[in-house]
Amino acid sequence: MDKLFSKLRIGEKIGLGFALVGLLFVGVVWHDRQTLQGVLGDYQQLQGFGLRKSLALEIEIELAAVRDAEKGFLLDRREAFAEEASRRLQNLRDKVAALAAVDQDSRQTADSLLALVTTYQKSFDTVAEAWRVMGLDENTGLQGAFRKNVHRLQELSAGYNVDRLYTLLLQIRRSEKDIALRQDPAYRERVRKLLAELQQAVETSELQTPVRQQLLSELAAYASTFEPYAESALKAGNINGGKGPFRDAAHRIEALLKAYHVANLEASVLQLRRREKDFLLRGDDSYPPMVVEIATTIRAQIAASALSNADKALLTGLLQDYQRDFLALVAQSASISVLTREMNEAAERIAPLVKQNVDQANQMMAARLAEIEVSSAASVRGSLIVMACAIALAIIFALAITTRIVRPVRQMAGLLDDLAYGRPTSHVPTVSDGRDEINAMGESLNALVDHRMTFLRWWKESMDEVSARRELLQAGSDEEKDEAMKDLRAATIAKLQQLNAIRGRLLQHGERVREVSQRIQAAPGSVSAADATALEHAALAMATLFEVLAREDAPAAEDMPAAASTPTSSA
């Protein structure tokens, strides 16, 4: 780690510290961004659940509107309700398509809904078309067809209803005979009155115009011939057996009435209409057989009448067409009942699915809200932990980098203090080939300490040698000479040891110079500032050591004063 930090300058260390702290806070910001993205994703998911619920409610509303339009069509049978139902169904399809775009679960639900809506729409269209065939009102479809036939039959039946006319004719004939029997003028007045009623009844009847005119003509003939007969019968009692032109006219009138008389035809037709309307009103299956039975009775009445074959064929044909169309309407009504039931079943399958979709959206939203609350609390705790760790790591990085800068400065301050007030024995720890300015200061300070120690030791050894030589020269006895020689030998050995140490240091500086030269040779033309400084320091150190060695070559006599002065000045 020290070697790594020595490769960095102080500014680079400070920049690295700020970069590390910045990276930590970038990591914190990234973590916060991820948290915010998670919150945004949760919000979007909740929004999707809300949209799903909203669309489900809109689908439910549209379905209710479709059912209302359907009921309106079935009750009033108006095309406007069918068009409204089709428009609402299209809106319902659009809502289902929007639901399918929310998420995968919604897409599955939407597919099921779309299939059911398609089935319902086909059923509704089939029911609507069946009602169009049956008749949306009394004038269209099968209903209009049989109604047209029965109206024509009813009109014709009124033209064959001569019961009252025949009754009046019989009353006239009875009063006519009473005149002959009783010769009472009151019966003549009664005949006149009944003739007036019969004439008025013929005029207001629904008989065919030629028949009505023929009857009126015969009535006029009867009236004109009846008066002479009545006068003769009342005065002379001459009745001629009750015969005469009036009697022939009465017979012709009776023949005409019998030729256009079908007993109870109009009543039977009215009874037929009653049972028809009962079925249309109630839809009870017991009424169609009644209609068929009454139609059979009417056909029997027509067949038993004195009508012409053409009139019988006309009435029978109208009755047959009516019966055919009515039975077709009955069959269509049964088909509509089945189709309506199928349509209701399809609609009833849609409603639970829509409700299930709403309930599912509510449940998923509630569950997701609970999960978001838990994850939000965990995210808050995680953010606090990340922030605390970032702050702790920032403090650790700051302390580590600051310590790497401050500790060698503090050591150099202590070493400088030793240089100023004592004899330093330690060195500042350094790393070779380091780029750190403080490392370079430490190397320079270590070199200063080494030079100072070298000069001091050299000065001390030189002084010891000078003292030993002086004592040798001043020794008077052999013992003193031996002692002096021993001291001189010790001093000489110490100087040799120091010379060996200087030699070793020269070898170190030489090795450093060799390494730098090898790097220069490996990259010719480029010399780094660090290599240039290393060469400079090695050259200066070698020059200093060579200066020490140069002083060793001076004469011993000159060494004494030099040795006495040089260390002092160096110190």
Side-chain angles (χ1 to χ4, degrees), residues 202 207-217 256-257 260:
V202 170
L207 291 171
Q208 299 177 11
T209 301
V211 176
R212 188 168 58 251
Q213 290 177 352
Q214 188 177 358
L215 284 174
L216 291 175
S217 176
L256 280 173
L257 292 177
Y260 290 93

Side-chain angles (χ1 to χ4, degrees), residues 275-276 278-279 282-292 326:
R275 297 309 179 188
E276 164 209 320
D278 285 339
F279 173 76
R282 300 181 178 88
D284 193 343
D285 293 337
S286 62
Y287 291 109
M290 296 181 183
V291 172
V292 173
F326 177 76

Side-chain angles (χ1 to χ4, degrees), residues 314-329:
L314 175 62
L315 293 175
T316 304
L318 290 173
L319 185 62
Q320 185 66 31
D321 291 342
Y322 167 81
Q323 183 175 344
R324 182 195 65 233
D325 293 336
F326 177 76
L327 293 178
L329 180 139

Side-chain angles (χ1 to χ4, degrees), residues 47 102 159 199 229 241 292 308 355 392 405 415 444 483 512-513 530:
Q47 189 177 14
V102 175
Q199 184 178 3
Y229 167 76
V292 173
S308 64
K355 186 177 184 302
I405 297 174
L415 187 57
S444 299
E483 186 67 28
R512 183 71 180 274
V513 171

Side-chain angles (χ1 to χ4, degrees), residues 369-384:
L369 282 173
E371 293 176 0
I372 290 174
E373 289 179 359
V374 175
S375 63
S376 298
S379 297
V380 171
R381 289 194 299 270
S383 298
L384 292 176

Side-chain angles (χ1 to χ4, degrees), residues 282-533:
R282 300 181 178 88
D284 193 343
D285 293 337
S286 62
Y287 291 109
M290 296 181 183
V291 172
V292 173
E293 182 180 357
I294 295 172
T296 302
T297 301
I298 293 175
R299 277 194 292 271
Q301 291 173 346
I302 295 172
S305 68
L307 297 179
S308 64
N309 292 333
D311 290 340
K312 288 181 179 181
L314 175 62
L315 293 175
T316 304
L318 290 173
L319 185 62
Q320 185 66 31
D321 291 342
Y322 167 81
Q323 183 175 344
R324 182 195 65 233
D325 293 336
F326 177 76
L327 293 178
L329 180 139
V330 172
Q332 188 70 8
S333 178
S335 176
I336 288 175
S337 298
V338 175
L339 294 173
T340 303
R341 184 167 58 254
E342 293 176 353
M343 179 181 65
N344 290 332
E345 290 175 356
E348 288 171 358
R349 288 197 300 270
I350 296 175
L353 188 58
V354 173
K355 186 177 184 302
Q356 179 184 355
N357 188 34
V358 175
D359 295 339
Q360 185 179 6
N362 289 331
Q363 292 173 1
M364 295 180 68
M365 182 178 291
R368 189 55 186 155
L369 282 173
E371 293 176 0
I372 290 174
E373 289 179 359
V374 175
S375 63
S376 298
S379 297
V380 171
R381 289 194 299 270
S383 298
L384 292 176
I385 292 172
V386 169
M387 182 63 71
C389 292
I391 293 173
L393 288 174
I395 294 173
I396 291 173
F397 288 149
L399 290 176
I401 295 174
T402 304
T403 301
R404 298 289 178 181
I405 297 174
V406 172
R407 184 177 61 190
V409 172
R410 187 180 296 114
Q411 291 174 349
M412 285 189 290
L415 187 57
L416 288 172
D417 188 65
D418 291 341
L419 282 173
Y421 300 102
R423 298 179 63 183
T425 58
S426 61
H427 290 74
V428 178
T430 60
V431 178
S432 62
D433 299 332
R435 298 176 61 247
D436 188 2
E437 292 86 352
I438 294 178
N439 187 73
M441 291 173 61
E443 290 178 347
S444 299
L445 186 57
N446 289 336
L448 177 61
V449 171
D450 291 339
H451 293 330
R452 184 177 182 276
M453 291 178 64
T454 299
F455 280 111
L456 286 176
R457 289 179 62 190
W458 187 259
W459 176 79
K460 180 180 178 298
E461 299 298 335
S462 297
M463 292 301 295
D464 289 341
E465 184 181 4
V466 170
S467 297
R469 289 181 182 275
R470 186 186 301 117
E471 290 177 356
L472 180 60
L473 291 174
Q474 295 176 357
S477 62
D478 292 336
E479 293 180 357
E480 291 178 351
K481 288 182 179 181
D482 290 339
E483 186 67 28
M485 286 298 293
K486 186 185 294 185
D487 292 338
L488 181 59
R489 188 179 297 109
T492 301
I493 292 172
K495 289 185 70 175
L496 287 174
Q497 291 176 349
Q498 189 172 5
L499 286 172
N500 287 332
I502 290 173
R503 176 177 175 275
R505 292 174 64 188
L506 285 172
L507 290 174
Q508 291 179 356
H509 290 300
E511 184 66 24
R512 183 71 180 274
V513 171
R514 188 179 68 81
E515 292 176 357
V516 173
S517 66
Q518 289 178 351
R519 287 199 295 271
I520 292 173
Q521 291 175 3
S526 62
V527 181
S528 64
D531 290 339
T533 303

Side-chain angles (χ1 to χ4, degrees), residues 52-64 67 92 95-96 99 109-110 112-114 116-117 346-362:
R52 180 178 179 180
K53 180 179 179 181
S54 176
L55 288 173
L57 292 175
E58 291 179 4
I59 289 173
E60 196 170 17
I61 292 172
E62 289 295 336
L63 179 61
R67 297 307 307 276
L92 184 59
K95 301 295 182 184
V96 172
L99 179 64
T109 303
S112 300
L113 279 174
L114 188 60
L116 292 176
V117 169
E348 288 171 358
R349 288 197 300 270
I350 296 175
L353 188 58
V354 173
K355 186 177 184 302
Q356 179 184 355
N357 188 34
V358 175
D359 295 339
Q360 185 179 6
N362 289 331

